[in-house]
Amino acid sequence: MKKIFIVLSIFLVSCSSSYDVDDAEKAFTEKYPNLKIESVEKVNNDFFEIIIRDQIFYLTSDLKHLLAGNIIELKTGNNLTETRVKKHRLSLLENLLDSDTVIYKPTKTSHIITIFTDISCPYCKKLHKEIDKLLEHNVEIRYVFFSRNGKDDGAYRDMVSIWCSANQKELIEKAFNDDSLPQKDCENPLDKNYQLGYELRVNGTPMIFTEDGTIIPGYLPYKRILEILKSS
């Protein structure tokens, strides 16, 4: 089950001040010292943009009001906030090396999706059964092993074993078929994946990221995934 919260806020603000980015960061940090700021930028004379993980907040230029929600450009209807969030996600995904993923390549690649998957997740298993259909439609798949329950979990150890195997894809099939796996250990990317998932706010699996930074949360049938890819 997934919950989507949409907050739509349109503010017409006219402020003028001499505060800069450092002042905005200081004001925010003093109020919320436990939140790690990714970046602070001055959007225009009215707002500072503050990114916390992949959430965007707006601080008015007089440092008096903090706004949480989407900014919509009335003329075009474009969601400027979502555009910035996508760009931020892509900047994080650029840190993901191909060598830290399991890649399924079609004969010809038209789209690439990155899937945070957990072999103990029933909906990951359901999605995995449809990857052949995605491959037939020229969709390249990059699996990122992500233990949603952390390191103290049997699925974490099994995914390490899969990673350390010479035949990763064969063991992925066995894992999703609930077969037992030979236990192995080696240097692996699972801890890095977990940190990346945290930064991307991966709070469940499967979590799919498209090439433009769009999120497809949870399981969707392959036909619906193809529709989203074609429309992006």
Side-chain angles (χ1 to χ4, degrees):
M1 179 181 295
K2 57 180 182 287
K3 298 179 180 179
I4 302 175
F5 296 90
I6 300 177
V7 181
L8 175 60
S9 304
I10 299 176
F11 294 89
L12 300 179
V13 181
S14 178
C15 309
S16 61
S17 73
S18 58
Y19 293 117
D20 60 17
V21 167
D22 290 338
D23 296 319
E25 183 170 355
K26 180 181 178 182
F28 187 92
T29 302
E30 286 178 352
K31 185 65 176 177
Y32 303 102
N34 296 323
L35 293 180
K36 180 185 176 183
I37 295 175
E38 300 287 340
S39 68
V40 180
E41 293 184 15
K42 190 168 186 177
V43 178
N44 52 35
N45 289 331
D46 297 325
F47 294 105
F48 293 98
E49 174 194 88
I50 300 175
I51 297 182
I52 309 290
R53 294 171 67 184
D54 75 341
Q55 287 186 295
I56 293 182
F57 299 90
Y58 298 95
L59 182 62
T60 54
S61 58
D62 58 7
L63 309 185
K64 290 183 178 179
H65 303 286
L66 185 67
L67 312 178
N70 294 315
I71 289 184
I72 309 296
E73 188 176 54
L74 291 178
K75 184 177 180 179
T76 63
N78 291 336
N79 187 328
L80 302 182
T81 303
E82 180 60 21
T83 299
R84 286 289 291 123
V85 168
K86 287 181 179 180
K87 184 178 178 181
H88 181 64
R89 287 179 193 140
L90 289 177
S91 71
L92 293 173
L93 285 168
E94 285 177 358
N95 298 320
L96 180 63
L97 303 176
D98 284 349
S99 58
D100 288 338
T101 68
V102 178
I103 299 176
Y104 292 78
K105 274 190 172 291
T107 303
K108 175 185 175 183
T109 298
S110 299
H111 300 281
I112 300 173
I113 58 176
T114 301
I115 305 176
F116 281 71
T117 190
D118 184 328
I119 60 169
S120 67
C121 159
Y123 285 102
C124 296
K125 179 178 181 178
K126 189 172 183 180
L127 179 61
H128 184 74
K129 291 180 178 178
E130 300 187 35
I131 66 168
D132 285 343
K133 295 293 185 181
L134 292 170
L135 291 169
E136 288 174 10
H137 287 83
N138 303 324
V139 179
E140 180 178 316
I141 295 160
R142 299 198 307 169
Y143 266 162
V144 180
F145 287 154
F146 180 80
S147 180
R148 58 203 167 109
N149 296 318
K151 297 180 69 170
D152 296 325
D153 185 71
Y156 175 91
R157 292 186 290 275
D158 282 343
M159 284 188 283
V160 168
S161 297
I162 293 171
W163 184 261
C164 298
S165 172
N167 49 349
Q168 293 174 336
K169 292 178 183 177
E170 181 181 328
L171 288 194
I172 288 173
E173 298 300 325
K174 288 186 176 182
F176 279 127
N177 286 327
D178 299 321
D179 294 338
S180 60
L181 303 178
Q183 294 298 296
K184 293 189 175 184
D185 194 14
C186 67
E187 185 175 345
N188 64 81
L190 267 77
D191 291 347
K192 284 195 299 182
N193 295 350
Y194 193 83
Q195 179 60 34
L196 178 61
Y198 172 81
E199 293 171 358
L200 288 166
R201 300 186 73 206
V202 175
N203 51 20
T205 53
M207 182 76 82
I208 304 171
F209 294 86
T210 70
E211 291 169 285
D212 72 347
T214 297
I215 281 182
I216 304 175
Y219 166 81
L220 283 180
Y222 81 91
K223 290 183 179 180
R224 181 69 186 111
I225 294 174
L226 291 174
E227 289 173 0
I228 293 171
L229 294 176
K230 289 176 182 177
S231 66
S232 63

